[in-house]
Every structure is written in structure tokens, then in C-alpha cells.
Amino acid sequence: MTKFSLNGSWNLSANDINTKANIPGDFHTALMENGYIKDPFYGFNEKDQLWVGQSDWILERTFDYKKRENYKSILNITFADTFFTLFINNKEVGKGNNTFALYRFDISDFLIDGKNTIKFLFESPEKRSMEIARKLPYPVPYMKYDVFSPDRNMARKCQCNGGWDWGPCVMVSGIYQDIYIEEVADGLFNNPLITYSHKNDEWTAHITISFDSFFDITKEFKISISADDFPTVEKKINQKIIKGKNSFKVDLKVKNPSLWKTSGELKEAGLEENTIYKLKIWTEDSFGQEKQITKNIVFNSLKAISKVDKIDGKEGRSIYFENNGRKIFAKGSNWIPVDCFPSRFTYQRYYDLLKSTVDANQNCLRVWGGGYYEFEDFYDICDRLGIIIWQDCMFACSLYPVTQDFINQVEEELDYQIPRLQSHACIGLWCGNNENYGAMNWFPESNKNRVRYLVDYDRLYNGVIGKKIKEIDPSRIYWPSSPCAGPDDYADNWHEDIKGDMHYWSVWHERKDKEAYMSIKPRFVSEFGYESFPSLNCINSFAEKKDWNFTSKLMEYHQRSPSGNSIILENFSRYFSFPNGFENMVYLSQVQQAIAIKTAVDYWRSLKPRCMGALVWQLNDIWPGPSWSSLEYSGKWKLLQYEEKKFFENLYMPLYIKDGILYCNITNDLSKDVKAEISIRFLSFADGKDLSKEIKLSCQLAADKTENIYSQKVSKEDAGNYFIYACMKAKDSSGKEYFVDNTIFPEVYKHCNIEKAQIKCNVSKKAAKSFEIRLSTDKPAFFVSLDTLKNLGRFSDNLLNLLAEKEKVITFTSNEELSLEEFKADLRIYDLASSSLEK
């Protein structure tokens, strides 16, 4: 098998523009690199690049080629975005209309020996989508944002390209993965399907091989599974092949393989990554040329389970993940695309974001339905790091057409994407869409004729997508939508909490108090979020200092959630003394985001096993600006990400006050029993001393269990004078030791008599990129935050509550080498009492 690469420099042209473009890559990146457009992320530049998505583009190049006798030349294209016509030597070869499909064009008869030309005519995705919408027999509405591309639901492309409530409208086009000519004599491999079974420690990989043959033939196939420090298992078979599509099964038995572990299980075992095995399938063509397909695999038994049950005397439905027989509480986030520009979807960007995910003790990500079926690197890294993937299909916040042409496109993309991803150990379930059942309540058209749109909904998500997924991958459950009460159940899962997964947005969009998170007892929350501003470092990347004001025109422009900045400011006044100046507003926005999400997770983790998942909206940012993310566009950790590292720990102590009662719980997500000693103290804001006798408790908690260990009514009379501090020293059955602490205020923060503390900071350099920070205080200091204005890096801990008798040692690891003087000058320390206006 010979591959002739067409990657590299191409010519890109439209109107009076003629420039170079690197492929794989997107056209916006090429135009930026060659000076035709400015960075769309800076200032108001987004508006100045909208014409790019409204234009047709020609992408072309020449190449020298020598045809091989008895071989076909097959052009392979993936992630071609979106509407294109292909020409070879000025002759039309074929068309494409789906970013998510695989295209294989037989170009043998179009090629000549010597110099050839290849040309793509990419139509404007915006204009083509509008044209499709005009021809529909009735309107198919979609969610629109302040800056948007019309009718984006007509195109099988990344939906958030058309603008969202956390990102810009950037209608990219291009070819985002390798483009090459494959010289083939007798046929082509497709992605194999793999499932597993086991008896004791002997595991069987059940492999379904897919081969498209050009003629009838009997071929020998070889199949092997190998890994570092593991004996290779190999098998040969002779298989009768017919012209056309072929599918046949082979079993390979492996003795005592390493089994896939979630990130939490890896951490408990002291491991960094899962063992990756290589599946190789190969054969020889009629002329002795080898062709092969390889996949990275891990032996696993991860599955999602959903059962009808009884909750509070009513019919409910559970949903949870199980791995190797253990129920797993899903702790994680929602994933949106890495960037607006697919040219930036690098392995390193993926790895940095996913490593930050597991470093914050998250074990699950939901790949949201308005983005992409991600590149292979993403899933390979998730396999390695033990991240469970809730995989949406790419439909979001809209109604969609059910014309035969659209259905054909959807089936085409699923025929490629489901087998491509099926073999990844990290895939936990397939989900049909994001919020599209609920979207029927959003539009006048669907409210007036609900039956019409419900029939369309059922046809697309059950009759087409559900049917196709169940056909190809019956080993995993198909979940029709998120949120969803279960198959064929059309309950309101924004508010009903006893069935399936919820999207709970009452705190943010309905502007309820953060305590409303404790008004529900969900089974699984797959979306909930709270906005904040990014750091000054990030803000500086898109705004001049003259615009550093929450109500400036530019700051409101970069805020894509309706009333987002107003909600942040409103909650300042609801919970806190109003902050002093822009810098403290940014700090406090991140504090209140972290507190709000912690309030939800502390309560929901205490409900295990009724509640088995909490996925925060959202992990990452697609551009720099205010949003619900816990990681900034650069990958820098917000305070929420640091707090997630604490409240998503395997062994944790949720602490909350509900209906005037303090509850202290222990949740044990370890595979081992633990013994714990717990201290609960009521401490004065003035000096940090005990106002009452310390409460001491002992308990033993079984593996994978949660238990309430203490509750007490909290007096409101003097609630503004003290805070509650709880700590736990624990040891598991293997002897490993743990320390967990938690702090809660019985009164709203603005009514607490918190005094300004004198925080001392001693900094020393430990290595070229490593610094040690020693913090101490004369009286309690709350929500102490460390930040750097210019230099990116990560602190070992952040968002600290400092007690007078304890020194806190923090490590900062910089991305670049810094001198001690440079780091000291860059370091900033914030705390709650110092952030407010003088009283």
C-alpha cells in the first residue's frame, strides 16, 4: 500500500485575493498568516472577517504523479469543511457536503503521468445553508445569537462556527486532516469494530473486520495484538471475499491483559496512564504489496447503565457508568472545540487540556453536540488518561430538516464516525443531540405545530441516528438527547430530577440563588454552569486597558451570554461587599463561580448513589472572553479549576447548610474501605479561635459509599461572627493516608464580620521554572488567590482559606524560565476582605 501525500502548500483564492494556504488547515488561518484579515479575537475584529464565510473559495495545487499499472488511485479526504466540488485536471470528479464524512474518490481515470492539477471549489457555507433553507417546505428554526450565521442547522458542519453564547461567529472552511492518494490493487480497509468478553483472566477481543473489495477473491488476513512488555498475540485466516462490502469476525484471546481504568482508578493505583495495545490487521494484494490498518485499543468493560426504578414513590430512571463491575460517579466537565480555527487542533493543545482535566480529578467529559467529532488524538489521549467520554452526535440547540438529502448526509457521517470511534475504550455512551427536544419549546413555529416537529424529531433521532448507532455499536447504550428522561420519555429534564440526565440552569439563566442547586436531587447532571471573567492576562489579549470595565462596549461585546455581565454584577451585590476596581471584580467573579459550582457538587456528591454524575459547563474556551469555563483560552486554570481539584477528589468531605442545618458527609470513590478521624470547629472571624468545643468524630466507610456523619442546626443569631472548618485524616485499607478539609460560612459573605488580615508571603526559587511560595496570616483570610499578570504557569493549590496557626506552602511551575525577581514582580495575591470597597 502506497500513500501519496498532498499535504503542504496550496493556493487559495477568492475575488481579488490570491495567497498560500497550508493543508491540513483552515482558510481563516491562511488569511491571517498572509495579512488579509486581523486576529478575529482582538477587539471588534470578529465583525471584519464575516465576509470570509460568505465567500466562495478556490483551493488548488499541482503535483507530479506516475500512475501504477493495475492499481487504482483513491483520493482520501476527511474533515473537509463543508460544501465542495472536486476537479482533477479541470474535470469534475465529485462533490462533498459534510464536514464529518469520509470521502474516497476514485481518480484513476482523471490522472495523467506527469504534472496534474487538483482543485476544490468551496462554496460559502452561509450562502449555501440559506439556499437550502429557502427550498424547505416549512421553516426549521435554530437558536440565534448576537453575531450569527443564518441557517447554520442546514449544514453538516461544526454548529458553533455560526456563533454561540460563549463564542464568536467564524464560519471556517478548509481541509483539516491529511489528504492523500492511496494506490490500491484489490480493496480498502474500513475501521474495524471491537468488543470484549472474558472468563476469569482470559479475555477475548471480538474483532469485526471491514473490507471493500474490487472483485471476488480469497485472501489471507493477519491480525495481531501487541503492547510494550507484552507478548504479541497473532492469528491468520483465509477469507473468501466478494466484490463490494465485506464484514467478517475474528476472535483473539489474550491472557491477563491490563484493563482500562478511569483517571480516578489510575490515581488510586499510582499510575499515570493506561496500557495501550496495538491492533494490527493486514493483508497482501495480488502483487505482494502489504496493506494494513491499525488501532490503539485497551481491554475494557466500561458501559453506561440506565434502569427504571422507584424514587420517592414515583417511577424514576437511573443513568450511570460502570467500569469493571464498579459503579463510577462521573466527575467532570463539558468539552467544546479547542479553538475556532481547526489549524490549531494540535496534539499538544489536546494533551494540555486533557491533562488539566485529570489533574483536577475529573474522570469524565461530555463531547458537546455543537462542535466536532474530535480528531483521533483526542480519543487516544482520553484512552491513555482514563477519561470517560459521553459522546454527543453533532446536533445542538436547533430543529433539523428531515429531507431525504439531509438524512443521507447524517447516515453517511455516522457510517464513518461510529466505527472510527467505536474501538476507543473511553467511549461511555452515544447521545443523539444537545437540547434539541427542549428546543421545540423555544420557537414560535414549533409551538404552533408541535406534532409536525415532534414527528420530525422522532424520525431523525430514533428512526435514523438511534437505529444506525444500535446497528453499528450495540455494545453501548444510545441516549436520545441530553437532557433526557430516557428512551421515548419526553419529560422536562431542565426541572424534573428523578429520571435520566438534567441540564440545570435555574441558578444562572433563571437567576436563582446558588442554594437552588440544593433544591433538586438529580440522578445525573450533564450541564450546569456559572460564568466568570478570565484573568487579566487573558483580558489583555483582546482588550486595551481603556476598555477594562465590565460595562464597556468591548467587554459587553465579548460577553456572548445575554445579560451575562449584569448577572455577574448582580451576584456581587447578592453575596459580597461590592469589589473595589476592575482587578478585584475579575478576581471576585472567579471566586463566586467557584463557590457556586462547589455548592452544587458538595450537595450532589452527598446524594450518591441516587446521583451519579456532575458535569460542569464548561471545561475550555474557544476564544478569550467571559464564559462558564474553568480553563481559559490559553489553558490557564481559573479558580474554579483549582476548586474542582479539591471537590472532585476520590475521597472527599462534602459540607453544606440546607434549611438551617449543617451537614457533614464523607464520599468515598476509592475501591478500598477507609477509617477516618474528623474534626469540626466553629471559629471566630476575628482571631480564628474556637467559639465552642471542637467536635471530634471517628468513622469507617466502605469502598464506593457515601455517608452523612454529622448534622446540627445552625443558629442565625451570631452567624456573621464565625465560620465552620472541618478536616479529616483518613487511612485506607492498604495504609495510604489522606487529608481533606472544607470550610463553610453560615451567613452570606457580605454580612460576615471578616477583618483584613496581614498575609505574609515568602518566595524562593527551586528550579529554572519552579518557585516555592510560603503564606502565613495573623488572622483568618478567605478565598486567597494567587495569580501572575504576565507569565503563564500553574500553582499547586489556589483559592485558599488561611488559618492563623498554619503556614501554607504552594509551588508555582512556570511555562517559561523566570528569574526570582521577575516572578516576584509578576505575582499577585488577592483575598476577600481586601477586595471590597472601604466601608
Side-chain angles (χ1 to χ4, degrees), residues 763-773 817-824:
V763 181
S764 58
K765 187 171 183 176
K766 295 300 179 184
K769 298 181 181 180
S770 179
F771 300 87
E772 184 180 85
I773 305 157
E817 288 191 19
L818 294 174
S819 69
L820 180 59
E821 291 71 24
E822 287 173 323
F823 177 63
K824 283 183 175 181

Side-chain angles (χ1 to χ4, degrees), residues 214-278:
F214 299 155
F215 40 77
D216 296 347
I217 192 174
T218 298
K219 292 181 68 65
E220 181 184 73
F221 290 87
K222 299 176 183 178
I223 307 96
S224 69
I225 295 175
S226 60
D228 294 340
D229 302 319
F230 190 86
T232 299
V233 178
E234 187 173 313
K235 195 170 192 177
K236 297 179 182 178
I237 61 165
N238 286 309
Q239 182 68 34
K240 186 176 181 180
I241 299 295
I242 62 170
K243 183 178 180 180
K245 293 187 176 298
N246 294 265
S247 178
F248 51 96
K249 297 182 178 181
V250 180
D251 288 350
L252 257 66
K253 296 185 181 298
V254 176
K255 190 82 170 177
N256 198 28
S258 291
L259 303 183
W260 192 78
K261 297 178 177 63
T262 65
S263 58
E265 293 171 307
L266 287 170
K267 181 177 180 179
E268 183 183 353
L271 300 173
E272 291 285 331
E273 296 185 352
N274 284 296
T275 298
I276 304 298
Y277 293 81
K278 182 179 180 180

Side-chain angles (χ1 to χ4, degrees), residues 55-85:
S55 302
D56 297 339
W57 293 89
I58 293 173
L59 181 71
E60 59 190 334
R61 63 166 291 178
T62 61
F63 61 97
D64 291 324
Y65 191 78
K66 173 71 174 175
K67 294 199 288 185
R68 294 177 67 187
E69 189 177 354
N70 300 315
Y71 279 79
K72 291 188 177 183
S73 299
I74 308 296
L75 180 66
N76 283 261
I77 311 168
T78 54
F79 285 93
D81 189 359
T82 300
F83 302 104
F84 68 83
T85 305

Side-chain angles (χ1 to χ4, degrees), residues 472-695:
I472 297 173
D473 187 15
S475 68
R476 295 182 175 95
I477 70 168
Y478 170 67
W479 197 247
S481 180
S482 183
C484 177
D488 302 317
D489 191 327
Y490 297 109
D492 172 16
N493 268 41
W494 273 265
H495 298 95
E496 294 191 20
D497 61 358
I498 64 172
K499 295 180 182 179
D501 72 307
M502 289 188 76
H503 288 190
Y504 190 70
W505 284 103
S506 295
V507 171
W508 181 261
H509 289 303
E510 296 175 27
R511 302 193 183 192
K512 292 185 177 181
D513 288 343
K514 60 183 175 63
E515 286 72 23
Y517 286 125
M518 295 186 286
S519 68
I520 60 169
K521 294 183 177 180
R523 313 306 301 273
F524 194 116
V525 185
S526 49
E527 271 194 30
F528 66 107
Y530 203 97
E531 272 206 0
S532 71
F533 267 74
S535 66
L536 296 178
N537 177 286
C538 179
I539 292 171
N540 193 51
S541 72
F542 67 83
E544 297 179 47
K545 284 195 174 182
K546 67 180 179 64
D547 296 310
W548 287 19
N549 187 303
F550 275 30
T551 59
S552 73
K553 186 175 181 180
L554 178 61
M555 216 57 69
E556 290 184 343
Y557 180 78
H558 271 256
Q559 168 60 271
R560 292 307 165 90
S561 176
S563 303
N565 291 358
S566 297
I567 296 173
I568 293 173
L569 291 169
E570 176 189 323
N571 285 322
F572 285 165
S573 61
R574 181 182 293 183
Y575 298 114
F576 300 101
S577 296
F578 208 77
N580 179 18
F582 183 77
E583 191 168 341
N584 281 313
M585 285 184 175
V586 169
Y587 153 74
L588 200 59
S589 78
Q590 292 200 20
V591 170
Q592 71 179 11
Q593 178 192 37
I595 290 171
I597 299 303
K598 179 181 183 294
T599 299
V601 175
D602 271 27
Y603 182 62
W604 295 339
R605 286 195 73 182
S606 77
L607 300 177
K608 178 185 173 181
R610 174 175 173 147
C611 179
M612 287 300 293
L615 305 183
V616 180
W617 184 271
Q618 62 207 65
L619 178 74
N620 53 311
D621 266 333
I622 201 168
W623 80 326
S627 79
W628 295 277
S629 74
S630 58
L631 296 175
E632 297 179 3
Y633 173 72
S634 67
K636 181 178 179 177
W637 287 31
K638 288 185 179 178
L639 293 180
L640 172 58
Q641 187 81 359
Y642 287 104
E643 198 65 13
E644 287 171 341
K645 184 181 178 182
K646 301 168 194 174
F647 63 60
F648 280 148
E649 269 282 13
N650 279 335
L651 183 63
Y652 183 58
M653 184 171 53
L655 200 64
Y656 62 90
I657 296 172
K658 187 172 188 274
D659 299 326
I661 299 174
L662 167 70
Y663 294 90
C664 183
N665 301 272
I666 299 178
T667 183
N668 180 17
D669 290 345
L670 298 167
S671 64
K672 303 178 182 68
D673 297 353
V674 295
K675 291 182 178 180
E677 301 293 328
I678 298 98
S679 164
I680 302 174
R681 300 167 67 192
F682 295 76
L683 303 178
S684 166
F685 284 125
D687 55 16
K689 293 182 179 179
D690 292 278
L691 295 179
S692 60
K693 187 176 179 180
E694 179 182 6
I695 299 165

